[in-house]
Amino acid sequence: MRVTVVGSGYVGTTLAACLADAGHDVTAVDIDPDVVAAINDGHAAIHEPGLDDLLSEHAGDRLRATTEYESVPDADVTFLAIGTPSNEDGSIDLGALTAAAEMTGEALAGEGNGSGATPDDRHLVVVKSTITPPGVGAVREALHAGAGDAADRVELATNPEFLREGTAVDDFRHPDKIVFGTESEWATERLETLYEPLVAATDADVPVIRTDPETAVMIKYANNAFLASKISLSNDLGNICKRFGIDAYEVMDAVGLDDRIGAKFLRSGVGWGGSCFPKDVDAIRAAAREAGYEPALLDAAVAVNDGQPERMLELLDAHADVAGGRVAVLGLAFKPGTDDVRNSRAIPIIEGLQDRSADVVGYDPVAAENTRERFPDIEYADSAAAALDGASAALVVTDWDEFAALDDAFDAMADPVVIDGRRVIERRAGLTYEGLTW
Ligand code: UDX
């Protein structure tokens, strides 16, 4: 099939590369000429394992990138994979997505007049971006406004993405489920044809959910809201455990054996960050309020999450006065395996240390540069050992595996106070060690 993917961020680039790899003929569209040049050159502007290999294999062959919408009229499917950031109040900002939808519509408006397509051709435009149920109508309106007289031949569908940063390519190829939100049998069949080679390549039977566009996007929000709340509930219970001197990990390991609960996403600590959970939970809360419903449980999930960095700093205060002292922050990325620092728990931790007049030295194997944009004035160390050298306290914020093996490096600390927010440090002897929930 001929596919156009509008937007070349994490989701768009992964989608374009994986669809090309599945045998489709793909055009990636992005307004940023640097991003376009990188894709045509066979590499990604983002850090994502396996993506560069796919791009270098297919760029110039089944995959090309451009800043123009020219490929849209001849595409069998056009995807919109444009970012949907948060407004100040947490509600979803659809500005960039509706602008792209309108331009997609405009590209289709001229269709039938020399583009090679017949006047009765129908076009399928599929939203990959995460949007709220009321957002579906707004995007459809923008698409149809752009299409003008051709609007009745342009159909909108949604097909939410569940991939995780750091394992995006693998997640795309081995999904737990595929969700089609369509308004017609024609659109469903077209998406089935598109996904057919991907489904055929997976070992397991991938469940395909066929529903309407609004339900499909709600599935995505419910999924992320559930997972974020699951971690927050683990943190709430973990905070209680800590008060009683009980190890929350021992408790939750046992709780997770109940197959109605499951063992994953029960790791308590400094909380969830990233580009999806915070934004999506905020967006669905704001959309719920807009519709007259107070989402009490989701509000609580956010409140617990917001409180975890402060609890970590309180534990530090109980053991050390860090004013004027050197404090190591180990891990800056929002999770291991990525250089992404969006909503990383390291941000409130560093701010809290600065409020306490500490000299902060940060270390992360890949995320230091991205953190520097936010905190240009703190020191950045080249290794965890260098960060710990002479420090009067260390706070562990990201569960990078390498931190488990630090052992002797703690001996170079001026005062070996270690507050672990991720249960990753194995050494206890000779340290004033505090786990956040254990
Ligand atoms: C998430 C969803 O998993 C994915 O399906 C969706 O499409 C996008 O959002 P991602 O943001 O890449 O993916 O990260 P994920 O691995 O889910 O971790 C999110 C955050 O939760 C991280 O900050 C992580 O450290 C934290 N986390 C995760 C915990 O604190 N405890 C856990 O047990 C699991």
Side-chain angles (χ1 to χ4, degrees):
M1 285 179 120
R2 289 161 302 180
V3 185
T4 296
V5 178
V6 181
S8 303
Y10 267 101
V11 171
T13 309
T14 306
L15 175 68
C18 291
L19 288 177
D21 196 53
H24 297 301
D25 185 64
V26 183
T27 303
V29 180
D30 201 280
I31 47 167
D32 187 334
D34 292 340
V35 169
V36 165
I39 293 173
N40 284 328
D41 215 33
H43 62 89
I46 48 168
H47 170 92
E48 196 58 48
L51 195 51
D52 274 355
D53 293 344
L54 291 182
L55 292 177
S56 62
E57 192 180 337
H58 299 299
D61 179 18
R62 288 205 294 267
L63 174 65
R64 73 210 62 81
T66 166
T67 54
E68 306 299 327
Y69 283 70
E70 284 165 4
S71 59
V72 169
D74 292 325
D76 296 306
V77 180
T78 297
F79 279 99
L80 300 178
I82 301 283
T84 49
S86 301
N87 290 312
E88 199 72 353
D89 64 353
S91 63
I92 190 166
D93 176 358
L94 291 171
L97 178 59
T98 49
E102 193 168 342
M103 284 194 273
T104 301
E106 284 167 9
L108 292 169
E111 175 268 326
N113 301 316
S115 72
T118 54
D120 62 345
D121 229 9
R122 289 164 85 178
H123 282 275
L124 183 61
V125 177
V126 184
V127 180
K128 256 287 165 198
S129 316
T130 300
I131 53 171
T132 56
V136 174
V139 178
R140 187 187 292 113
E141 213 169 281
L143 177 68
H144 285 169
D149 292 345
D152 56 349
R153 287 185 276 115
V154 181
E155 196 170 314
L156 191 84
T158 62
N159 171 220
E161 191 48 69
F162 298 91
L163 50 81
R164 293 162 297 172
E165 288 183 30
T167 52
V169 171
D170 205 47
D171 287 346
F172 192 88
R173 286 173 162 169
H174 305 283
D176 292 331
K177 56 180 172 278
I178 296 174
V179 182
F180 297 149
T182 64
E183 288 171 324
S184 71
E185 200 46 44
W186 166 80
T188 308
E189 280 168 16
R190 192 157 276 209
L191 280 169
E192 279 168 350
T193 310
L194 182 83
Y195 272 88
E196 204 274 325
L198 286 151
V199 172
T202 56
D203 323 323
D205 278 342
V206 185
V208 178
I209 291 102
R210 298 166 184 84
T211 184
D212 60 88
E214 282 81 1
T215 304
V217 297
M218 192 62 206
I219 291 170
K220 164 79 182 209
Y221 276 107
N223 218 99
N224 275 354
F226 194 103
L227 290 170
S229 302
K230 191 176 184 191
I231 302 168
S232 276
L233 180 56
S234 298
N235 279 329
D236 211 23
L237 294 166
N239 294 336
I240 297 170
C241 288
K242 183 76 180 174
R243 295 287 188 287
F244 296 150
I246 292 169
D247 178 348
Y249 277 67
E250 198 182 335
V251 172
M252 298 313 276
D253 280 352
V255 170
L257 295 173
D258 186 323
D259 65 9
R260 293 168 301 176
I261 295 172
K264 292 179 185 158
F265 276 62
L266 294 177
R267 292 181 61 86
S268 53
V270 71
W272 36 270
S275 65
C276 288
F277 285 174
K279 175 174 82 77
D280 292 354
V281 175
D282 281 353
I284 200 65
R285 286 161 70 219
R289 282 210 167 84
E290 180 81 9
Y293 178 73
E294 290 297 314
L297 208 52
L298 293 182
D299 287 352
V302 172
V304 170
N305 198 51
D306 288 347
Q308 292 309 90
E310 196 46 49
R311 283 184 193 94
M312 198 166 173
L313 290 161
E314 281 165 14
L315 278 176
L316 173 69
D317 291 338
H319 294 288
D321 176 3
V322 293
R326 176 182 167 93
V327 177
V329 176
L330 299 186
L332 303 167
F334 86 90
K335 68 172 187 180
T338 178
D339 63 353
D340 196 340
V341 298
R342 284 176 287 178
N343 283 298
S344 169
R345 309 284 77 201
I347 295 167
I349 291 290
I350 293 171
E351 286 170 348
L353 291 171
Q354 289 180 327
D355 288 346
R356 288 163 174 76
S357 304
D359 289 331
V360 179
V361 50
Y363 167 71
D364 190 284
V366 291
E369 278 320 302
N370 286 340
T371 313
R372 207 186 289 275
E373 287 168 24
R374 174 86 180 230
F375 297 105
D377 298 328
I378 67 166
E379 186 187 331
Y380 293 91
D382 289 337
S383 66
L388 290 171
D389 195 2
S392 50
L395 281 77
V396 184
V397 179
T398 315
D399 36 345
W400 287 104
D401 284 344
E402 63 173 277
F403 298 154
L406 281 172
D407 285 349
D408 296 351
F410 291 111
D411 295 329
M413 292 179 75
D415 199 359
V417 175
V418 177
I419 316 294
D420 189 351
R422 295 289 184 191
R423 191 159 168 127
V424 64
I425 303 300
E426 284 174 7
R427 173 173 161 180
R428 299 286 193 275
L431 303 182
T432 303
Y433 177 92
E434 285 278 7
L436 201 44
T437 57
W438 56 98

